[in-house]
Amino acid sequence: MAKKSGMKLIANNKKAFHDYFIEDTYEAGIALVGTEVKSLRAGKCSVKESFIRVENGEVYIYGMHISPYEKGNIFNKDPMRVRKLLLHRHEINKIEGSLQEKGLTLVPLKVYFKDSLVKLEIGVARGKKLYDKRQDIAKKDQRREAEREFKVKNL
């Protein structure tokens, strides 16, 4: 887990950065109930297969898995329940407007604590083609190879 300037990373969706071009990002709160915050403090969260929808002027995340708290009892909720995201009205309107463009979607990027509040970074994204993904992989391989050579030279 990363920790910087009052921010503690809980979950990161690396696959989203591989599969999409991120055009714009927003920071949203999450409406949590019961012992979900305690589970998040323990790092029990996954946003890999989740997706976000705008419905009736509200933003919801589907498929976000927050494991039940081990010491919880009747206060544990369904781990896969739909959760409401907390955004300002002008942000929701801006997101809805940008989603009207063909090929754009909303994807979850990161879940983190920011000054004891749970936040979700969401991105308005455009899907990558297969050749784009191959180019990204080639760039990463080149960067890794350069870093290896640099380490060998410095030894």
Side-chain angles (χ1 to χ4, degrees), residues 110-127:
K110 298 177 190 173
V111 180
Y112 54 92
F113 278 103
K114 183 177 180 182
D115 300 325
S116 76
L117 298 174
V118 179
K119 298 290 183 176
L120 174 71
E121 184 176 296
I122 61 175
V124 177
R126 183 178 311 277

Side-chain angles (χ1 to χ4, degrees), residues 21 130-140 142:
F21 291 114
L130 184 60
Y131 58 84
D132 292 326
K133 293 178 188 177
R134 288 182 184 148
Q135 289 173 352
D136 284 349
I137 291 171
K139 285 180 186 177
K140 284 181 187 177
Q142 288 175 347

Side-chain angles (χ1 to χ4, degrees), residues 59-84:
V59 183
Y60 297 95
I61 185 165
Y62 293 82
M64 178 178 174
H65 187 274
I66 298 177
S67 297
Y69 185 58
E70 295 148 2
K71 297 176 184 161
N73 47 23
I74 61 169
F75 300 109
N76 283 336
K77 300 294 180 187
D78 179 27
M80 297 293 287
R81 74 180 184 85
V82 178
R83 293 170 179 87
K84 182 178 175 181

Side-chain angles (χ1 to χ4, degrees), residues 2-9 110 112-115:
K3 201 169 190 179
K4 56 183 178 182
S5 67
M7 186 174 120
K8 179 184 174 192
L9 185 64
K110 298 177 190 173
Y112 54 92
F113 278 103
K114 183 177 180 182
D115 300 325

Side-chain angles (χ1 to χ4, degrees), residues 1-148:
M1 292 193 199
K3 201 169 190 179
K4 56 183 178 182
S5 67
M7 186 174 120
K8 179 184 174 192
L9 185 64
I10 301 167
N12 193 8
N13 190 358
K14 292 180 183 177
K15 189 168 172 65
F17 292 100
H18 179 71
D19 290 342
Y20 298 99
F21 291 114
I22 308 300
E23 309 245 333
D24 202 5
T25 60
Y26 297 91
E27 182 180 72
I30 308 173
L32 300 171
V33 294
T35 57
E36 289 178 329
V37 175
K38 290 183 179 186
S39 291
L40 288 173
R41 287 203 187 282
K44 308 279 180 135
C45 177
S46 174
V47 290
K48 248 183 206 175
E49 299 297 322
S50 59
F51 59 96
I52 300 170
R53 283 192 182 154
V54 179
E55 298 172 352
N56 301 326
E58 300 290 340
V59 183
Y60 297 95
I61 185 165
Y62 293 82
M64 178 178 174
H65 187 274
I66 298 177
S67 297
Y69 185 58
E70 295 148 2
K71 297 176 184 161
N73 47 23
I74 61 169
F75 300 109
N76 283 336
K77 300 294 180 187
D78 179 27
M80 297 293 287
R81 74 180 184 85
V82 178
R83 293 170 179 87
K84 182 178 175 181
L85 299 182
L86 308 173
L87 291 159
H88 291 284
R89 173 60 44 205
H90 65 88
E91 291 176 323
I92 295 172
N93 293 340
K94 189 174 176 184
I95 289 170
E96 279 185 310
S98 63
L99 290 180
Q100 298 301 320
E101 187 178 333
K102 188 177 180 194
L104 291 180
T105 187
L106 277 175
V107 293
L109 302 174
K110 298 177 190 173
V111 180
Y112 54 92
F113 278 103
K114 183 177 180 182
D115 300 325
S116 76
L117 298 174
V118 179
K119 298 290 183 176
L120 174 71
E121 184 176 296
I122 61 175
V124 177
R126 183 178 311 277
K128 286 184 180 179
K129 304 284 185 209
L130 184 60
Y131 58 84
D132 292 326
K133 293 178 188 177
R134 288 182 184 148
Q135 289 173 352
D136 284 349
I137 291 171
K139 285 180 186 177
K140 284 181 187 177
D141 289 342
Q142 288 175 347
R143 185 175 43 89
R144 285 185 192 136
E145 190 61 37
E147 287 174 358
R148 282 187 200 125

